[in-house]
Every structure is written in structure tokens, then in C-alpha cells.
Amino acid sequence: MMALSSAPGPIGVFDSGYGGLTILHGIRQLLPEYDYLYLGDNARAPYGTRSFDVVYSFTRQAVLKLFEMGCHLVVLGCNTASAKALRSIQQNNLPHIDPKRRVLGVIRPTVEAIDTLTQSRHVGVLGTPGTIKSESYPLEIHKLFPDIQVSGHACALWAAIVEAGEAQSEGADYFIQKDINALLAKDHEIDTIILGCTHYPILLPKIRKFVPEGINILAQGNLVGESLKDYLQRHPEMDAKCTKGGTCTYFTTEAEEKFAESATTFLSEQVSVQHIELGNNQTNNYSMETKEDKSRTTEVFQGTSWEAELVKGLLESNGIACMTRMGSAGVYSLTIGNDYSVWVFEKDKAQALEIINNRTETHEEDVE
Ligand code: DGL
């Protein structure tokens, strides 16, 4: 058992990056009197394309850090972490860390709200590839409402578009329309769409543009706030462990200035933030940072069907991204904004990693 302070402390809210700020905002509107610690693992975001093990390990580190900083209650303000890590942390780790501390997620409160919203009993879910692949939404929905038909669609780039500050750009329209159409094509009777990623409320004006009238769009911030309020009322022993000074302190694993600048997009207010280290930033052997890319988050993964769409969507829409083909092995580098790179390889992972590791700044062929 770890030596953690038993003194009351703030409520922790964790997200892979900025998205959880939409959850924090919703919570604070309903529960402004409590103290909060927000922790964004921006240096390792996005989580949405990462494996179960990696998301579990990162989230566990973050929860532990928030406990060490005095929190007794932590909300995972991230669907990917809630889908992939919450249950494991609750079952495997909490009993050893401190059985009285609690970690809550965002999926259950969202699911509870759909019953009264859907008339057709056909619901759609938009989320990161990790959340959709985990099947957490259909599983949780069917536990409570077995009669509801659920269709999910992974929006591979939406969170990255928001993180890159491109939520208002024309380039975003292409992907938002394409992904909404793909979801609605799966089931024409959908009358409620869950935005199953905390970044997506930032895209709401554009989402509304492409979702036909009469379909409910469900964002999570208020729902999580209401659920937390209810939880604290039902658990006075936990409520007594949460301090009430109305403060909010922000921590990020990225550069402080970068977080402060981007956080205003999510909160419409200035925040002051402190840098914090969580574990080791080396994520797994698919992800790496090189000297020339020091300030970038770099993801590497296989995505054979991506190239045509990315080139078409991103390059046609005023160049929010630059896509480059490296050599002849089908390895592509896609850069979104200044600090996010995705490497996509078609076939041979080993060959792809060799090219990426040995790459120079002279690209052999530009798709542009
Ligand atoms: N905020 C995360 C979520 O709600 C998505 C961003 C990410 O992929 O890290 O799933």
C-alpha cells in the first residue's frame, strides 16, 4: 500500500490532452464550490490510436500522480482512457493503492442519458479509433438498455484537428462531413448521436452543419457534471474528502506556454499551468521523437486506406497538412499544424521503421 495523504484534497480530472477541459467545464458549472486539479498528458496525446496496454499504463501513471497530489476522487475526462483503462484500474490497482480512493469515467454517465433521448432506439457513437474498437459504448448501452441498436464510427483525425487548432478551418469540414455520413449510412434510423470523445464539443458548430435536423447530438460535459453531483450526494464520505475552495490548478506534461495558449480554445479563459513529468515519454517502439522533430508528437502506424483520403481531404482544403511520401516502401509522413506528425506505412513495418529512423530532411517525392 502506498503512503498517500489522508487529508481532504481537490477532485482530479485527467485527460490525454485538452479534451477533458470540456468535461471540467461541465463539472465546474454544476459544482463550482469544489477544488480541482486538471492533468493533461499532452506530451503523449493522442491516446485514441494507442494500444490497450499503453493507454492503461499511461492512465495508471496519471491517476497515481493525482492521488499523490492529494486527490481522493479522480474523473477520467477521456473516453479512450475510460474505455481502455478504467475497469482495470478499478479492479487491479485501486485495491493496492488505496481501496477508499475512487476513479470514475465518462462513458457510464453518457450512456445513462440516452434512454430518454432516443425515440427510434437507434443510436450512433462517434469516437476515437480506440474507443470505437473497444466496443465500450455498445457494451455499456446494452447493459442498461438491451433494446437500443448501436452503431459506432471512428473519427481518426477529429481529435488531432482540434489539437492542431484547426477546428474552425475548412479542412475540418471534409472530415466531419465524411465521418458523419459514414455513421449515418450504417443505420438510417439513428436519432441520437453520442459525441464519444471529449474533443468533439469544440467541433459542435461544424458537426451541427452536417447532422440532419431532428437528430440529437449528445455532448458529455454536463452529463458528467450531473453524474458527479449525484455521486457526491450518494457518497458523503467521499464528499468529505473533497475540499471546497472553488480553485482549479492545471498541470500538463507538455510545455506550459503551449498548454496555456490552447486551453483558451476549450475554456474561453486564461489559465496558468505547471509542467509535470509522468513516467517515460518513450511510448512504444512504434512511436519516436527525433532531433529534428523534437517539438512534435509523432505517431507511426499502418493505414493502407488512409493515403488517398488524407491527400484528397487535407491537401485540397487550403493545406492544413503536408503529406510526403518517403522512398518507395509506401511510407508517408503527414504533418498537421506545427507539432503533430503521423507516419503511415503500407506494408512492411520493419522497413518502414528503418526509413523513418534513417530519414533525412530531403524527401524523395512530394505528393503535393
Ligand atoms: N480526449 C480523448 C477522448 O475523449 C481523445 C483524444 C485522444 O485521442 O487522446 O477519447
Side-chain angles (χ1 to χ4, degrees), residues 15-16 46-48 78-80 128 131 159 197-199:
D15 182 46
S16 56
Y47 280 15
C78 173
N79 289 271
T80 310
T128 64
T131 299
C197 171
T198 53
H199 282 65

Side-chain angles (χ1 to χ4, degrees), residues 3 26 89 134 155 249 254 263 327:
I89 289 175
S134 74
C155 307
T249 316
E254 246 290 355

Side-chain angles (χ1 to χ4, degrees), residues 28-104:
R28 289 191 78 197
Q29 282 198 317
L30 281 169
L31 300 166
E33 68 276 27
Y34 290 83
D35 293 310
Y36 297 91
L37 282 192
Y38 182 86
L39 171 52
D41 191 7
N42 301 77
R44 302 188 295 193
Y47 280 15
T49 44
R50 295 194 188 282
S51 67
F52 173 90
D53 286 341
V54 172
V55 174
Y56 175 32
S57 156
F58 286 1
T59 308
R60 201 172 53 221
Q61 288 168 5
V63 166
L64 205 51
K65 183 65 92 182
L66 286 164
F67 285 166
E68 283 167 9
M69 290 193 287
C71 302
H72 291 257
L73 178 62
V74 171
V75 178
L76 301 184
C78 173
N79 289 271
T80 310
S82 298
K84 292 190 169 191
L86 178 61
R87 188 171 293 261
S88 302
I89 289 175
Q90 285 171 337
Q91 288 178 353
N92 305 341
N93 306 113
L94 277 187
H96 303 289
I97 299 169
D98 178 354
K100 292 210 177 98
R101 283 174 210 249
R102 286 287 172 271
V103 183
L104 306 175

